[in-house]
Amino acid sequence: MSNIFFNIFPNENFIDLGMYQYGCEQCEPGHSFGPAARNHYLFHYIIAGTGTLMADNANGETQTYSIKSGQGFLIFPGQITTYIADQELPWEYVWIEFDGLRVKEALALTELSKDAPVYRSHSKNLREQMLNEMLYIAHHEKESPFHLIGHLYLFFDYLTQSAKSSRLVKSSKMSDYYIKEAINYIEQNFQNDITIEDIAAVCGINRSYFGKIFRNAVGRSPQEFLMNYRMVKATELLKLTSLSIADISSAVGYENQLHFSRAFKTIYGVSPKEWRNQHR
């Protein structure tokens, strides 16, 4: 059997960058996983050995990659992949599954994509620091969620910096400004009865254009971002306070408790009351 250990991260209430599971594995010869699709981003770094990745590109066509120690691979949400350890020199790797509202925007600055999922670092120093953060997370599962999230941010910084695209990245400075203004407005006013039109008006642009640039930058619509933000805040109140469901509904911008409960169940699969009982 393969020598493997992994942990599931106990807290998902981190909006910009969150972690789901992580671990290490010394694979047996020919050990494989897949074909399968993931719900979140999953990054493997090869510590030793070699193996093969088969991954669907942006057009749904399966591509095959040979990956060795010092390299890695990034699996994107919904991407179908299979990976197999070499028969003669099976790989050992460490992995982290992560996601967040600003992950897509950051990864767009790197050379990593569904068409180019293999990680090759431009800097040995950054690559080694990234590996150190991955190993730290993997071996310190008893630390608090905030402590581990701090190291996740360091991992993600080293990942994006070491895989940064060598091509010049063209960016609309006004577009970046609009997105930052919108997110700041949501963070400060999510508890109020705000609409997407209100957010677009704060930025001084029409709703159609705002929706387009927001989805391109963040990877989801403004409506989805606002609802997710409110639901994360709701879970904090459910876990940390004794407020009634009606009071929590109002506190996160839903005057109609039924609408709040439906939105909550859409995100978490259970009602607010069930979620509270499961996490206490």
Side-chain angles (χ1 to χ4, degrees):
M1 295 180 63
S2 297
N3 182 9
I4 178 175
F5 70 89
F6 74 96
N7 288 280
I8 297 174
F9 191 63
N11 193 321
E12 297 181 8
N13 294 340
F14 295 92
I15 298 173
D16 292 340
L17 179 63
M19 184 158 48
Y20 294 86
Q21 51 109 347
Y22 51 91
C24 296
E25 183 169 9
Q26 171 62 66
C27 297
E28 291 291 319
H31 174 75
S32 66
F33 183 89
R38 304 285 187 166
N39 293 325
H40 310 286
Y41 295 91
L42 181 62
F43 181 75
H44 289 70
Y45 180 81
I46 314 306
I47 300 172
T50 185
T52 301
L53 169 70
M54 291 176 283
D56 284 2
N57 63 17
N59 295 322
E61 302 163 339
T62 303
Q63 306 295 315
T64 301
Y65 309 89
S66 178
I67 305 174
K68 61 184 180 180
S69 60
Q71 298 178 338
F73 57 94
L74 179 64
I75 297 173
F76 289 74
Q79 183 182 26
I80 298 175
T81 62
T82 301
Y83 38 102
I84 308 168
D86 186 73
Q87 287 286 355
E88 301 298 327
L89 192 62
W91 51 19
E92 175 186 358
Y93 50 55
V94 56
W95 77 84
I96 295 179
E97 183 179 11
F98 61 91
D99 211 332
L101 296 177
R102 293 174 179 167
V103 169
K104 181 181 177 182
E105 181 182 7
L107 288 175
L109 300 177
T110 74
E111 296 180 340
L112 294 166
S113 69
K114 284 186 176 181
D115 292 326
V118 179
Y119 166 82
R120 298 180 178 89
S121 175
H122 302 304
S123 165
K124 180 181 178 182
N125 181 53
L126 290 173
R127 183 187 73 204
E128 290 178 347
Q129 291 186 78
M130 181 194 74
L131 172 60
N132 289 338
E133 293 301 332
M134 297 182 75
L135 292 173
Y136 184 93
I137 292 170
H139 292 287
H140 289 79
E141 72 278 1
K142 293 184 180 180
E143 297 289 352
S144 73
F146 286 102
H147 183 92
L148 292 177
I149 283 293
H151 285 277
L152 178 67
Y153 269 93
L154 290 172
F155 150 75
F156 194 65
D157 179 54
Y158 294 136
L159 170 65
T160 54
Q161 290 293 331
S162 62
K164 184 171 289 186
S165 175
S166 57
R167 301 182 301 272
L168 290 176
V169 178
K170 295 182 179 180
S171 175
S172 169
K173 294 301 181 183
M174 284 306 298
S175 176
D176 293 344
Y177 172 78
Y178 293 147
I179 300 304
K180 289 178 181 178
E181 283 291 292
I183 292 176
N184 286 338
Y185 183 77
I186 289 171
E187 290 173 344
Q188 295 172 18
N189 294 277
F190 71 92
Q191 70 275 21
N192 301 320
D193 184 22
I194 60 174
T195 65
I196 304 307
E197 286 82 359
D198 294 333
I199 304 171
V202 167
C203 298
I205 54 180
N206 67 60
R207 173 175 174 160
S208 177
Y209 176 64
F210 169 65
K212 180 179 179 180
I213 64 171
F214 194 96
R215 179 178 285 278
N216 288 339
V218 179
R220 62 186 69 191
S221 70
Q223 294 95 328
E224 292 170 329
F225 184 98
L226 176 59
M227 183 171 73
N228 274 271
Y229 193 91
R230 283 170 163 166
M231 293 307 107
V232 169
K233 292 298 181 181
T235 61
E236 293 175 0
L237 294 173
L238 287 166
K239 190 172 184 178
L240 301 176
T241 76
S242 298
L243 290 172
S244 68
I245 304 300
D247 287 341
I248 292 174
S249 171
S250 178
V252 297
Y254 286 84
E255 292 304 322
N256 187 312
Q257 184 180 335
L258 179 60
H259 291 169
F260 165 70
S261 295
R262 286 175 178 171
F264 191 95
K265 193 168 185 178
T266 297
I267 299 297
Y268 293 102
V270 295
S271 70
K273 182 178 180 180
E274 290 172 320
W275 192 96
R276 171 177 268 172
N277 290 335
Q278 292 172 5
H279 291 79
R280 279 192 165 181

